[in-house]
Amino acid sequence: TLELPDRPAAPSAARKALTALNGSLHLISEPRLLDAQLVLTEVVANAVRHGGRGGAPIGLSVRATPEVMRVEVTDDGDGFDEEPAAEPPDDRGGGWGLPIVAALAHRWGVDRDGATTVWFEIDRPQREEPVPVDPSPPQL
């Protein structure tokens, strides 16, 4: 668990913290870490841009089980609709954050309980070896 200042450097600090934690504990593989870093950057950037304006810190929490790494980012904002727009508008340079989150995270969501928590999960295994594939056809 970590508190980040509500300012533009927060996404970079969050990415570095996740990288250091993964280096110490090897929570996920390098390719999955790259996905998690991008998703985390988007979520923290949204917290800075759209979260509360009171200057309260942004909370970052990382938890892992043998099956899943869960990352939570909490701010004091009002929250937002979880459904990303089908197509971000072409007239501005943003709008791709939630589609990126939806594409790279195995699961994600928004909880509102006095604060807004955006969470995402990346499935493990933690090793670089491929996940075993069962070549047999599915049983109906």
Side-chain angles (χ1 to χ4, degrees):
T1 302
L2 178 67
E3 286 190 347
L4 302 165
D6 184 9
R7 57 180 191 228
S12 176
R15 212 172 32 252
K16 288 175 186 174
L18 181 62
T19 302
L21 184 63
N22 195 62
S24 297
L25 301 175
H26 197 64
L27 301 172
I28 53 178
S29 66
E30 282 299 313
R32 290 180 187 198
L33 176 61
L34 295 174
D35 290 345
Q37 288 171 323
L38 182 54
V39 172
L40 181 59
T41 299
E42 293 297 334
V43 172
V44 173
N46 280 347
V48 170
R49 179 176 290 162
H50 303 292
R53 299 286 183 238
I58 296 167
L60 171 61
S61 175
V62 179
R63 294 182 177 92
T65 68
E67 296 82 24
V68 172
M69 179 186 74
R70 182 179 176 107
V71 178
E72 298 178 352
V73 175
T74 303
D75 65 63
D76 62 351
D78 294 330
F80 59 93
D81 184 9
E82 291 179 41
E83 293 298 319
E87 286 287 323
D90 289 334
D91 62 342
R92 60 184 176 91
W96 290 101
L98 293 181
I100 288 170
V101 171
L104 296 178
H106 292 109
R107 286 160 302 283
W108 76 281
V110 180
D111 297 330
R112 294 174 195 92
D113 187 19
T116 298
T117 299
V118 179
W119 58 269
F120 66 90
E121 294 178 343
I122 302 285
D123 291 339
R124 298 177 74 191
Q126 63 183 0
R127 294 177 185 82
E128 303 294 335
E129 57 205 41
V131 175
V133 175
D134 181 0
S136 61
Q139 305 235 343
L140 301 175

